[in-house]
Amino acid sequence: MIEILIADNQTLTREGVKALLATMVDINIAASAAYPIELEKLINTYEPAVVLLDPYYSRRFTVDDVRHIMARYPHVRILILSNRQNREQIQEILDLGIKNYVFKECSREELVYAVYSTAKGEQFFCKNIFETLFGNKLIPEKADTLPQLSSRETELIYLIADGLTNNEIAEKLFLSVHTIKTHRKNIIRKLGFTFKNTAELAALLQKR
């Protein structure tokens, strides 16, 4: 069971995240905090695996709070969940060593992936983070005419971009490795190019 704390001073945000994750049987929202001092007490009480935190809204929580949690509670992994920020603000967070960041406009699927990835110590950024960081520079030339991908193929692209191997993806999706390899071949066949790096995968997702 992944124990989570939500740190956000917006009641609707806290309740909305709870509702989005409520159906996940292996995720438990232990508590939520509206103030830094409250968050620290809850960390000591629940010892969560993941803290969802917005360091930019209304100065209630700040980047300094992120630094404090990372320094005092190194076992706690932080997932940044914020409104859309500019490139400099995102980079400021990444420079602290944060590996997981999603905007509040992201999809439920991206949020769920982000929670699981954060809990496992793996990196995950929603597609809009890549768009803010890189713009359209990394989008393949034929991106505007890309054929439609199935939901499974799109899901697979996220997992590949997250650095998972074929075996890890197969285990996560309860599929055979052969099926994963087939999906990858189909994606390459549809798109007409191979995936050389994560940036290409992220650029593809920006356009969908």
Short mmCIF file of all heavy atoms in Angstrom, two decimals, residues 44-104:
data_model
loop_
_atom_site.label_atom_id
_atom_site.label_comp_id
_atom_site.label_asym_id
_atom_site.label_seq_id
_atom_site.Cartn_x
_atom_site.Cartn_y
_atom_site.Cartn_z
N ASN A 44 5.54 13.03 10.34
CA ASN A 44 6.01 12.31 11.52
C ASN A 44 5.01 11.26 11.99
O ASN A 44 5.39 10.20 12.50
CB ASN A 44 6.29 13.30 12.66
CG ASN A 44 7.54 14.14 12.41
OD1 ASN A 44 8.53 13.64 11.91
ND2 ASN A 44 7.47 15.42 12.73
N THR A 45 3.73 11.54 11.80
CA THR A 45 2.68 10.62 12.24
C THR A 45 2.52 9.43 11.31
O THR A 45 2.46 8.28 11.75
CB THR A 45 1.33 11.35 12.36
OG1 THR A 45 1.44 12.40 13.32
CG2 THR A 45 0.22 10.38 12.79
N TYR A 46 2.46 9.69 10.00
CA TYR A 46 2.10 8.65 9.04
C TYR A 46 3.30 8.05 8.30
O TYR A 46 3.17 6.99 7.70
CB TYR A 46 1.11 9.20 8.01
CG TYR A 46 -0.24 9.52 8.61
CD1 TYR A 46 -0.58 10.83 8.93
CD2 TYR A 46 -1.17 8.52 8.85
CE1 TYR A 46 -1.82 11.14 9.48
CE2 TYR A 46 -2.41 8.81 9.39
CZ TYR A 46 -2.74 10.12 9.71
OH TYR A 46 -3.96 10.41 10.25
N GLU A 47 4.44 8.73 8.30
CA GLU A 47 5.61 8.27 7.56
C GLU A 47 5.23 7.84 6.14
O GLU A 47 5.40 6.67 5.74
CB GLU A 47 6.29 7.11 8.30
CG GLU A 47 6.81 7.51 9.68
CD GLU A 47 7.56 6.38 10.37
OE1 GLU A 47 7.50 5.24 9.88
OE2 GLU A 47 8.22 6.65 11.37
N PRO A 48 4.71 8.75 5.35
CA PRO A 48 4.23 8.41 4.00
C PRO A 48 5.35 8.07 3.05
O PRO A 48 6.50 8.46 3.25
CB PRO A 48 3.52 9.70 3.57
CG PRO A 48 4.32 10.77 4.26
CD PRO A 48 4.65 10.20 5.61
N ALA A 49 4.98 7.34 2.00
CA ALA A 49 5.94 7.06 0.93
C ALA A 49 6.05 8.25 -0.01
O ALA A 49 7.12 8.53 -0.56
CB ALA A 49 5.52 5.82 0.16
N VAL A 50 4.92 8.96 -0.21
CA VAL A 50 4.86 10.04 -1.19
C VAL A 50 4.14 11.24 -0.59
O VAL A 50 3.12 11.09 0.08
CB VAL A 50 4.12 9.60 -2.47
CG1 VAL A 50 4.00 10.77 -3.45
CG2 VAL A 50 4.84 8.43 -3.13
N VAL A 51 4.68 12.43 -0.85
CA VAL A 51 3.99 13.68 -0.51
C VAL A 51 3.72 14.42 -1.82
O VAL A 51 4.65 14.71 -2.58
CB VAL A 51 4.83 14.57 0.42
CG1 VAL A 51 4.21 15.97 0.53
CG2 VAL A 51 4.94 13.94 1.80
N LEU A 52 2.43 14.70 -2.08
CA LEU A 52 2.06 15.54 -3.22
C LEU A 52 2.04 16.98 -2.73
O LEU A 52 1.31 17.30 -1.79
CB LEU A 52 0.67 15.16 -3.75
CG LEU A 52 0.58 14.01 -4.75
CD1 LEU A 52 0.88 12.69 -4.05
CD2 LEU A 52 -0.79 13.96 -5.39
N LEU A 53 2.82 17.84 -3.38
CA LEU A 53 3.00 19.19 -2.85
C LEU A 53 3.00 20.22 -3.96
O LEU A 53 3.60 20.02 -5.02
CB LEU A 53 4.31 19.26 -2.06
CG LEU A 53 4.60 20.49 -1.21
CD1 LEU A 53 5.47 20.11 -0.01
CD2 LEU A 53 5.31 21.57 -2.02
N ASP A 54 2.31 21.36 -3.70
CA ASP A 54 2.32 22.49 -4.62
C ASP A 54 3.12 23.61 -3.97
O ASP A 54 2.64 24.26 -3.04
CB ASP A 54 0.89 22.96 -4.90
CG ASP A 54 0.85 24.09 -5.93
OD1 ASP A 54 1.92 24.62 -6.29
OD2 ASP A 54 -0.26 24.42 -6.38
N PRO A 55 4.34 23.86 -4.45
CA PRO A 55 5.19 24.88 -3.81
C PRO A 55 5.00 26.29 -4.34
O PRO A 55 5.75 27.19 -3.97
CB PRO A 55 6.60 24.38 -4.14
CG PRO A 55 6.43 23.78 -5.50
CD PRO A 55 5.05 23.16 -5.52
N TYR A 56 4.01 26.48 -5.21
CA TYR A 56 3.89 27.77 -5.87
C TYR A 56 2.57 28.51 -5.65
O TYR A 56 2.45 29.66 -6.03
CB TYR A 56 4.10 27.61 -7.39
CG TYR A 56 5.54 27.30 -7.75
CD1 TYR A 56 5.87 26.09 -8.33
CD2 TYR A 56 6.55 28.21 -7.49
CE1 TYR A 56 7.18 25.80 -8.67
CE2 TYR A 56 7.87 27.93 -7.82
CZ TYR A 56 8.18 26.72 -8.41
OH TYR A 56 9.47 26.43 -8.73
N TYR A 57 1.59 27.86 -5.04
CA TYR A 57 0.29 28.52 -4.95
C TYR A 57 0.18 29.37 -3.69
O TYR A 57 0.27 28.85 -2.57
CB TYR A 57 -0.86 27.49 -4.98
CG TYR A 57 -2.22 28.15 -5.03
CD1 TYR A 57 -2.72 28.62 -6.24
CD2 TYR A 57 -2.97 28.32 -3.88
CE1 TYR A 57 -3.96 29.25 -6.30
CE2 TYR A 57 -4.20 28.95 -3.93
CZ TYR A 57 -4.69 29.41 -5.14
OH TYR A 57 -5.92 30.04 -5.18
N SER A 58 -0.03 30.66 -3.84
CA SER A 58 -0.36 31.58 -2.75
C SER A 58 0.70 31.63 -1.64
O SER A 58 0.42 32.08 -0.54
CB SER A 58 -1.71 31.21 -2.13
OG SER A 58 -2.17 32.20 -1.24
N ARG A 59 1.91 31.16 -1.93
CA ARG A 59 3.03 31.21 -0.99
C ARG A 59 2.77 30.46 0.32
O ARG A 59 3.48 30.65 1.30
CB ARG A 59 3.41 32.67 -0.70
CG ARG A 59 3.85 33.44 -1.93
CD ARG A 59 4.35 34.82 -1.59
NE ARG A 59 4.71 35.57 -2.78
CZ ARG A 59 5.86 35.48 -3.41
NH1 ARG A 59 6.79 34.66 -2.94
NH2 ARG A 59 6.11 36.20 -4.49
N ARG A 60 1.74 29.64 0.36
CA ARG A 60 1.49 28.85 1.57
C ARG A 60 2.58 27.79 1.73
O ARG A 60 3.15 27.62 2.80
CB ARG A 60 0.10 28.19 1.49
CG ARG A 60 -0.33 27.47 2.75
CD ARG A 60 -0.75 28.44 3.83
NE ARG A 60 -1.87 29.28 3.45
CZ ARG A 60 -3.15 28.92 3.52
NH1 ARG A 60 -3.48 27.71 3.93
NH2 ARG A 60 -4.11 29.75 3.16
N PHE A 61 2.82 27.05 0.66
CA PHE A 61 3.96 26.15 0.58
C PHE A 61 4.94 26.74 -0.43
O PHE A 61 4.53 27.33 -1.42
CB PHE A 61 3.54 24.75 0.13
CG PHE A 61 2.69 24.02 1.13
CD1 PHE A 61 1.30 23.99 1.00
CD2 PHE A 61 3.27 23.37 2.21
CE1 PHE A 61 0.52 23.33 1.91
CE2 PHE A 61 2.49 22.69 3.13
CZ PHE A 61 1.10 22.69 2.99
N THR A 62 6.22 26.58 -0.18
CA THR A 62 7.24 27.19 -1.03
C THR A 62 8.31 26.18 -1.41
O THR A 62 8.34 25.04 -0.90
CB THR A 62 7.92 28.37 -0.31
OG1 THR A 62 8.70 27.85 0.79
CG2 THR A 62 6.90 29.36 0.23
N VAL A 63 9.22 26.61 -2.26
CA VAL A 63 10.36 25.77 -2.65
C VAL A 63 11.21 25.46 -1.42
O VAL A 63 11.80 24.38 -1.32
CB VAL A 63 11.19 26.47 -3.73
CG1 VAL A 63 12.45 25.67 -4.05
CG2 VAL A 63 10.36 26.68 -5.00
N ASP A 64 11.27 26.38 -0.46
CA ASP A 64 12.02 26.12 0.77
C ASP A 64 11.44 24.94 1.55
O ASP A 64 12.17 24.20 2.21
CB ASP A 64 12.03 27.37 1.66
CG ASP A 64 13.00 28.44 1.16
OD1 ASP A 64 13.93 28.08 0.40
OD2 ASP A 64 12.80 29.61 1.51
N ASP A 65 10.13 24.77 1.48
CA ASP A 65 9.50 23.62 2.15
C ASP A 65 9.93 22.32 1.47
O ASP A 65 10.11 21.30 2.14
CB ASP A 65 7.97 23.75 2.11
CG ASP A 65 7.48 24.91 2.96
OD1 ASP A 65 7.91 25.01 4.12
OD2 ASP A 65 6.69 25.72 2.46
N VAL A 66 10.08 22.36 0.16
CA VAL A 66 10.57 21.18 -0.57
C VAL A 66 11.98 20.84 -0.10
O VAL A 66 12.29 19.69 0.19
CB VAL A 66 10.55 21.43 -2.09
CG1 VAL A 66 11.16 20.23 -2.83
CG2 VAL A 66 9.13 21.69 -2.58
N ARG A 67 12.83 21.86 -0.01
CA ARG A 67 14.20 21.65 0.46
C ARG A 67 14.20 21.06 1.87
O ARG A 67 14.97 20.14 2.18
CB ARG A 67 14.97 22.97 0.45
CG ARG A 67 15.27 23.54 -0.92
CD ARG A 67 16.26 24.68 -0.79
NE ARG A 67 16.52 25.32 -2.07
CZ ARG A 67 15.91 26.42 -2.49
NH1 ARG A 67 15.01 27.00 -1.72
NH2 ARG A 67 16.20 26.95 -3.67
N HIS A 68 13.36 21.61 2.73
CA HIS A 68 13.31 21.16 4.12
C HIS A 68 12.90 19.69 4.22
O HIS A 68 13.53 18.92 4.96
CB HIS A 68 12.32 22.03 4.90
CG HIS A 68 12.10 21.59 6.31
ND1 HIS A 68 13.05 21.77 7.31
CD2 HIS A 68 11.05 20.94 6.90
CE1 HIS A 68 12.59 21.26 8.44
NE2 HIS A 68 11.39 20.76 8.23
N ILE A 69 11.87 19.31 3.50
CA ILE A 69 11.41 17.92 3.54
C ILE A 69 12.49 16.98 3.01
O ILE A 69 12.76 15.92 3.59
CB ILE A 69 10.11 17.76 2.73
CG1 ILE A 69 8.98 18.53 3.41
CG2 ILE A 69 9.73 16.29 2.60
CD1 ILE A 69 7.71 18.62 2.58
N MET A 70 13.13 17.37 1.91
CA MET A 70 14.17 16.52 1.33
C MET A 70 15.33 16.34 2.29
O MET A 70 15.91 15.26 2.38
CB MET A 70 14.65 17.12 0.01
CG MET A 70 13.61 17.13 -1.09
SD MET A 70 14.21 17.86 -2.63
CE MET A 70 15.39 16.60 -3.16
N ALA A 71 15.66 17.39 3.03
CA ALA A 71 16.80 17.32 3.95
C ALA A 71 16.46 16.56 5.23
O ALA A 71 17.26 15.76 5.71
CB ALA A 71 17.26 18.74 4.30
N ARG A 72 15.27 16.81 5.78
CA ARG A 72 14.92 16.22 7.06
C ARG A 72 14.29 14.84 6.95
O ARG A 72 14.42 14.03 7.85
CB ARG A 72 13.96 17.15 7.81
CG ARG A 72 13.64 16.67 9.21
CD ARG A 72 13.08 17.75 10.07
NE ARG A 72 12.87 17.29 11.43
CZ ARG A 72 12.42 18.04 12.42
NH1 ARG A 72 12.14 19.32 12.20
NH2 ARG A 72 12.25 17.54 13.62
N TYR A 73 13.63 14.59 5.82
CA TYR A 73 12.94 13.30 5.65
C TYR A 73 13.36 12.68 4.32
O TYR A 73 12.59 12.61 3.37
CB TYR A 73 11.42 13.50 5.67
CG TYR A 73 10.92 14.21 6.90
CD1 TYR A 73 10.63 15.57 6.88
CD2 TYR A 73 10.74 13.53 8.12
CE1 TYR A 73 10.18 16.24 8.01
CE2 TYR A 73 10.28 14.18 9.25
CZ TYR A 73 10.00 15.52 9.18
OH TYR A 73 9.56 16.18 10.30
N PRO A 74 14.60 12.22 4.21
CA PRO A 74 15.10 11.70 2.94
C PRO A 74 14.36 10.45 2.44
O PRO A 74 14.45 10.12 1.26
CB PRO A 74 16.57 11.39 3.25
CG PRO A 74 16.63 11.23 4.74
CD PRO A 74 15.62 12.19 5.28
N HIS A 75 13.63 9.77 3.35
CA HIS A 75 12.89 8.58 2.95
C HIS A 75 11.58 8.94 2.25
O HIS A 75 10.95 8.08 1.62
CB HIS A 75 12.58 7.72 4.18
CG HIS A 75 11.71 8.41 5.18
ND1 HIS A 75 12.20 9.38 6.03
CD2 HIS A 75 10.38 8.28 5.47
CE1 HIS A 75 11.21 9.82 6.81
NE2 HIS A 75 10.11 9.18 6.49
N VAL A 76 11.15 10.20 2.37
CA VAL A 76 9.91 10.64 1.76
C VAL A 76 10.17 11.13 0.34
O VAL A 76 11.06 11.95 0.11
CB VAL A 76 9.25 11.77 2.58
CG1 VAL A 76 8.03 12.32 1.85
CG2 VAL A 76 8.85 11.27 3.96
N ARG A 77 9.41 10.63 -0.62
CA ARG A 77 9.56 11.06 -2.00
C ARG A 77 8.49 12.10 -2.32
O ARG A 77 7.34 11.95 -1.94
CB ARG A 77 9.47 9.87 -2.95
CG ARG A 77 10.64 8.90 -2.74
CD ARG A 77 10.68 7.82 -3.79
NE ARG A 77 11.89 7.04 -3.67
CZ ARG A 77 11.92 5.75 -3.35
NH1 ARG A 77 10.80 5.09 -3.11
NH2 ARG A 77 13.08 5.11 -3.26
N ILE A 78 8.89 13.14 -3.03
CA ILE A 78 8.01 14.27 -3.30
C ILE A 78 7.55 14.26 -4.76
O ILE A 78 8.36 14.15 -5.68
CB ILE A 78 8.72 15.61 -2.99
CG1 ILE A 78 9.08 15.67 -1.51
CG2 ILE A 78 7.83 16.79 -3.37
CD1 ILE A 78 9.88 16.90 -1.13
N LEU A 79 6.25 14.40 -4.94
CA LEU A 79 5.65 14.57 -6.26
C LEU A 79 5.09 15.99 -6.31
O LEU A 79 4.19 16.33 -5.55
CB LEU A 79 4.54 13.54 -6.50
CG LEU A 79 3.62 13.78 -7.70
CD1 LEU A 79 4.40 13.84 -8.99
CD2 LEU A 79 2.54 12.69 -7.76
N ILE A 80 5.63 16.81 -7.19
CA ILE A 80 5.14 18.18 -7.34
C ILE A 80 3.87 18.15 -8.20
O ILE A 80 3.86 17.62 -9.31
CB ILE A 80 6.18 19.10 -8.00
CG1 ILE A 80 7.46 19.13 -7.16
CG2 ILE A 80 5.61 20.50 -8.18
CD1 ILE A 80 7.29 19.68 -5.76
N LEU A 81 2.80 18.71 -7.65
CA LEU A 81 1.52 18.83 -8.37
C LEU A 81 1.11 20.29 -8.31
O LEU A 81 0.62 20.77 -7.28
CB LEU A 81 0.46 17.94 -7.72
CG LEU A 81 -0.95 18.02 -8.32
CD1 LEU A 81 -0.96 17.56 -9.76
CD2 LEU A 81 -1.93 17.20 -7.48
N SER A 82 1.35 21.02 -9.39
CA SER A 82 1.13 22.47 -9.34
C SER A 82 0.38 22.96 -10.57
O SER A 82 0.19 22.23 -11.55
CB SER A 82 2.48 23.20 -9.27
OG SER A 82 3.11 23.22 -10.55
N ASN A 83 -0.06 24.20 -10.48
CA ASN A 83 -0.58 24.86 -11.67
C ASN A 83 0.57 25.06 -12.64
O ASN A 83 1.74 24.94 -12.27
CB ASN A 83 -1.21 26.20 -11.30
CG ASN A 83 -2.47 26.05 -10.47
OD1 ASN A 83 -3.32 25.23 -10.77
ND2 ASN A 83 -2.57 26.83 -9.41
N ARG A 84 0.23 25.37 -13.88
CA ARG A 84 1.27 25.53 -14.90
C ARG A 84 2.23 26.65 -14.52
O ARG A 84 1.80 27.76 -14.19
CB ARG A 84 0.64 25.82 -16.26
CG ARG A 84 1.65 25.88 -17.40
CD ARG A 84 0.94 26.15 -18.71
NE ARG A 84 0.34 24.94 -19.25
CZ ARG A 84 0.93 24.13 -20.12
NH1 ARG A 84 2.17 24.37 -20.51
NH2 ARG A 84 0.30 23.07 -20.58
N GLN A 85 3.51 26.34 -14.56
CA GLN A 85 4.56 27.29 -14.21
C GLN A 85 5.46 27.52 -15.42
O GLN A 85 5.41 26.77 -16.40
CB GLN A 85 5.39 26.78 -13.03
CG GLN A 85 4.59 26.42 -11.80
CD GLN A 85 3.86 27.60 -11.21
OE1 GLN A 85 4.37 28.72 -11.24
NE2 GLN A 85 2.68 27.37 -10.66
N ASN A 86 6.32 28.53 -15.33
CA ASN A 86 7.23 28.78 -16.44
C ASN A 86 8.46 27.88 -16.35
O ASN A 86 8.65 27.17 -15.36
CB ASN A 86 7.64 30.26 -16.50
CG ASN A 86 8.37 30.72 -15.25
OD1 ASN A 86 9.22 30.02 -14.71
ND2 ASN A 86 8.04 31.92 -14.78
N ARG A 87 9.26 27.93 -17.39
CA ARG A 87 10.41 27.02 -17.48
C ARG A 87 11.38 27.22 -16.32
O ARG A 87 11.92 26.25 -15.78
CB ARG A 87 11.13 27.25 -18.82
CG ARG A 87 12.24 26.25 -19.10
CD ARG A 87 12.92 26.57 -20.43
NE ARG A 87 13.87 25.55 -20.76
CZ ARG A 87 15.10 25.48 -20.25
NH1 ARG A 87 15.50 26.37 -19.36
NH2 ARG A 87 15.93 24.52 -20.62
N GLU A 88 11.61 28.47 -15.93
CA GLU A 88 12.57 28.74 -14.87
C GLU A 88 12.10 28.16 -13.54
O GLU A 88 12.91 27.63 -12.77
CB GLU A 88 12.78 30.26 -14.73
CG GLU A 88 13.56 30.90 -15.88
CD GLU A 88 12.78 30.94 -17.18
OE1 GLU A 88 11.52 30.95 -17.13
OE2 GLU A 88 13.41 30.95 -18.25
N GLN A 89 10.82 28.25 -13.25
CA GLN A 89 10.29 27.71 -12.00
C GLN A 89 10.39 26.19 -11.97
O GLN A 89 10.72 25.59 -10.95
CB GLN A 89 8.85 28.16 -11.80
CG GLN A 89 8.72 29.65 -11.47
CD GLN A 89 7.28 30.12 -11.52
OE1 GLN A 89 6.56 29.89 -12.49
NE2 GLN A 89 6.86 30.79 -10.45
N ILE A 90 10.08 25.56 -13.10
CA ILE A 90 10.20 24.11 -13.18
C ILE A 90 11.65 23.69 -12.99
O ILE A 90 11.96 22.75 -12.25
CB ILE A 90 9.66 23.59 -14.53
CG1 ILE A 90 8.15 23.86 -14.64
CG2 ILE A 90 9.93 22.08 -14.67
CD1 ILE A 90 7.58 23.54 -16.00
N GLN A 91 12.55 24.39 -13.68
CA GLN A 91 13.96 24.04 -13.58
C GLN A 91 14.48 24.22 -12.16
O GLN A 91 15.33 23.45 -11.69
CB GLN A 91 14.78 24.90 -14.54
CG GLN A 91 16.20 24.42 -14.74
CD GLN A 91 16.26 23.03 -15.34
OE1 GLN A 91 15.67 22.78 -16.40
NE2 GLN A 91 16.95 22.10 -14.67
N GLU A 92 13.96 25.22 -11.46
CA GLU A 92 14.34 25.44 -10.06
C GLU A 92 14.04 24.20 -9.22
O GLU A 92 14.85 23.79 -8.37
CB GLU A 92 13.59 26.64 -9.50
CG GLU A 92 13.87 26.94 -8.03
CD GLU A 92 13.04 28.08 -7.49
OE1 GLU A 92 11.92 28.29 -8.01
OE2 GLU A 92 13.49 28.76 -6.55
N ILE A 93 12.89 23.60 -9.45
CA ILE A 93 12.50 22.39 -8.72
C ILE A 93 13.37 21.21 -9.14
O ILE A 93 13.85 20.43 -8.30
CB ILE A 93 11.02 22.08 -8.96
CG1 ILE A 93 10.13 23.09 -8.23
CG2 ILE A 93 10.67 20.66 -8.51
CD1 ILE A 93 10.20 23.00 -6.73
N LEU A 94 13.59 21.07 -10.43
CA LEU A 94 14.39 19.94 -10.92
C LEU A 94 15.83 20.02 -10.39
O LEU A 94 16.44 18.98 -10.11
CB LEU A 94 14.40 19.91 -12.45
CG LEU A 94 13.05 19.79 -13.15
CD1 LEU A 94 13.24 19.61 -14.65
CD2 LEU A 94 12.23 18.64 -12.58
N ASP A 95 16.34 21.22 -10.24
CA ASP A 95 17.70 21.39 -9.75
C ASP A 95 17.86 20.94 -8.30
O ASP A 95 18.97 20.68 -7.85
CB ASP A 95 18.13 22.86 -9.87
CG ASP A 95 18.38 23.28 -11.31
OD1 ASP A 95 18.53 22.39 -12.16
OD2 ASP A 95 18.41 24.50 -11.58
N LEU A 96 16.75 20.82 -7.60
CA LEU A 96 16.80 20.31 -6.22
C LEU A 96 16.95 18.79 -6.18
O LEU A 96 17.27 18.22 -5.14
CB LEU A 96 15.51 20.69 -5.46
CG LEU A 96 15.24 22.17 -5.24
CD1 LEU A 96 13.92 22.33 -4.50
CD2 LEU A 96 16.37 22.82 -4.47
N GLY A 97 16.73 18.16 -7.33
CA GLY A 97 16.79 16.70 -7.38
C GLY A 97 15.43 16.05 -7.45
O GLY A 97 15.31 14.82 -7.40
N ILE A 98 14.37 16.86 -7.59
CA ILE A 98 13.02 16.31 -7.74
C ILE A 98 12.90 15.65 -9.10
O ILE A 98 13.27 16.23 -10.12
CB ILE A 98 11.96 17.43 -7.59
CG1 ILE A 98 11.96 17.98 -6.17
CG2 ILE A 98 10.57 16.91 -7.96
CD1 ILE A 98 11.52 16.99 -5.11
N LYS A 99 12.35 14.44 -9.13
CA LYS A 99 12.26 13.68 -10.38
C LYS A 99 10.82 13.49 -10.84
O LYS A 99 10.59 12.81 -11.86
CB LYS A 99 12.90 12.30 -10.20
CG LYS A 99 14.37 12.32 -9.82
CD LYS A 99 14.98 10.94 -9.93
CE LYS A 99 14.32 9.96 -8.98
NZ LYS A 99 14.91 8.60 -9.08
N ASN A 100 9.86 14.05 -10.12
CA ASN A 100 8.46 13.78 -10.43
C ASN A 100 7.65 15.07 -10.37
O ASN A 100 7.60 15.72 -9.31
CB ASN A 100 7.89 12.75 -9.46
CG ASN A 100 8.73 11.49 -9.41
OD1 ASN A 100 9.71 11.43 -8.68
ND2 ASN A 100 8.37 10.51 -10.20
N TYR A 101 7.02 15.44 -11.49
CA TYR A 101 6.36 16.74 -11.57
C TYR A 101 5.21 16.63 -12.56
O TYR A 101 5.38 16.24 -13.71
CB TYR A 101 7.39 17.78 -12.06
CG TYR A 101 7.04 19.23 -11.80
CD1 TYR A 101 8.00 20.11 -11.30
CD2 TYR A 101 5.79 19.75 -12.10
CE1 TYR A 101 7.72 21.45 -11.08
CE2 TYR A 101 5.49 21.08 -11.88
CZ TYR A 101 6.46 21.94 -11.37
OH TYR A 101 6.18 23.25 -11.15
N VAL A 102 4.01 17.01 -12.11
CA VAL A 102 2.85 17.06 -13.00
C VAL A 102 2.09 18.36 -12.76
O VAL A 102 2.08 18.89 -11.65
CB VAL A 102 1.90 15.85 -12.82
CG1 VAL A 102 2.56 14.55 -13.23
CG2 VAL A 102 1.43 15.75 -11.37
N PHE A 103 1.46 18.85 -13.82
CA PHE A 103 0.60 20.01 -13.69
C PHE A 103 -0.80 19.57 -13.26
O PHE A 103 -1.22 18.43 -13.55
CB PHE A 103 0.49 20.76 -15.02
CG PHE A 103 1.72 21.54 -15.38
CD1 PHE A 103 2.11 21.66 -16.71
CD2 PHE A 103 2.47 22.19 -14.42
CE1 PHE A 103 3.23 22.40 -17.07
CE2 PHE A 103 3.60 22.92 -14.75
CZ PHE A 103 3.98 23.02 -16.08
N LYS A 104 -1.54 20.47 -12.63
CA LYS A 104 -2.90 20.14 -12.20
C LYS A 104 -3.85 19.95 -13.37
O LYS A 104 -4.95 19.44 -13.19
CB LYS A 104 -3.42 21.22 -11.25
CG LYS A 104 -2.71 21.22 -9.91
CD LYS A 104 -3.20 22.31 -8.99
CE LYS A 104 -2.47 22.26 -7.64
NZ LYS A 104 -2.88 23.36 -6.74
#
